[in-house]
């Protein structure tokens, strides 16, 4: 029996998740598959009904724009709605139900776990599902003031309040203040999306710039940061990190993270 998992989104053609999961499946010799499925917002319920009708379906990852809407379709035993407020992973249960969880927060934080962010000022671009996972992780890290840059000031201010973070909200075109960490948690700069243009002039020389976008891997934000010799984290770090957690949940096997360099070479070829 070939069990399967997948990633759903709209759009979805850009997703590298199938390549990541299939790399691990092949490395471990599992009888499994992982694929991308295009699901529009009006078809979320129909998708889940069809998926559950297939006994080989183990679950799915959820990407833009479904991370909030999917919460209305699945069970939430871990209170993801009340904590992070966005789901990116669905898991089939033995009783035939589906639960939702979030692997984005841990995937985001893993590459920066060694940085001392306690009390440090940070800035986050965006206020969607990915931003929720980022803010949740930053709250756990004990960061200081958080500057949100977003089109909708009210939405961004609401997120600061939800996560109990101090800070301010600026428009997208405002210069980034002098923070220790800047995170792009929006889709800006992604292939097919509007570009992201930010002024990094105020960032200190030891600042870290983290872009969750991975298509393209070398985003305009990362290029601008590297032009200033700032330390950077690209979107593949978060993508692979959250995928590793989901992989173990889907297939009951630990992915071979000692082959990350080989995987990154495959993803960037």
């Amino acid at each position: 029996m070939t069990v399967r998992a997948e990633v759903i989104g709209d759009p979805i053609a850009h997703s590298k998740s199938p390549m990541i999961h299939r790399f691990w499946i092949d490395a471990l010799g599992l009888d499994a598959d992982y694929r991308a499925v295009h699901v529009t917002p009006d078809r979320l319920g129909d998708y889940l009904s069809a998926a559950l009708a297939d006994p080989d379906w183990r679950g799915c990852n959820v990407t833009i724009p479904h991370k909030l809407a999917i919460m209305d379709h699945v069970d939430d035993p871990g209170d993801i709605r009340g904590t992070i407020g966005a789901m990116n992973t669905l898991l089939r249960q033995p009783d035939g139900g589906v639960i939702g969880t979030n692997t984005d927060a841990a995937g985001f934080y893993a590459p920066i776990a060694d940085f001392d962010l306690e009390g440090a000022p940070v800035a986050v671009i965006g206020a969607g599902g990915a931003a929720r996972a980022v803010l949740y992780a930053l709250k756990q890290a004990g960061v200081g003031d958080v500057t949100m840059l977003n089109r909708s000031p009210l939405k961004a201010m609401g997120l600061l309040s939800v996560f109990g973070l101090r800070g301010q909200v600026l428009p997208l075109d405002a210069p980034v203040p002098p923070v220790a960490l800047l995170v792009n948690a929006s889709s800006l700069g992604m292939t097919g999306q509007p570009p992201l243009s930010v002024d990094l002039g105020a960032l200190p020389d030891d600042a870290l710039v983290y872009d969750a976008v991975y298509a393209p891997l070398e985003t305009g934000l990362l290029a601008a940061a590297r032009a200033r010799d700032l330390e950077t984290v690209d979107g593949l770090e978060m993508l692979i990190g959250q995928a590793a957690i989901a992989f173990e949940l889907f297939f009951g096997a630990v992915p071979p993270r000692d082959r990350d360099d080989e995987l990154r070479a495959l993803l960037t070829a």
Side-chain angles (χ1 to χ4, degrees), residues 46-80:
D46 294 335
Y47 163 78
L48 279 175
S49 296
L52 285 170
D54 181 352
D56 296 334
W57 183 83
R58 290 293 175 266
C60 69
N61 289 120
V62 180
T63 189
I64 295 171
H66 304 317
K67 293 184 180 184
L68 276 65
I70 199 66
M71 292 190 293
D72 294 331
H73 295 269
V74 299
D75 294 330
D76 183 18
D79 192 27
I80 299 300

Side-chain angles (χ1 to χ4, degrees), residues 5-47:
E6 46 207 17
V7 58
I8 64 171
D10 179 29
I12 199 60
H14 68 281
S15 177
K16 294 185 183 292
S17 292
M19 193 178 298
I20 295 171
H21 285 265
R22 287 172 179 168
F23 175 85
W24 290 332
I25 286 169
D26 291 344
L28 297 175
L30 303 181
D31 186 9
D33 191 23
Y34 187 101
R35 63 189 185 184
V37 179
H38 182 216
V39 178
T40 55
D42 60 315
R43 302 289 293 178
L44 272 178
D46 294 335
Y47 163 78

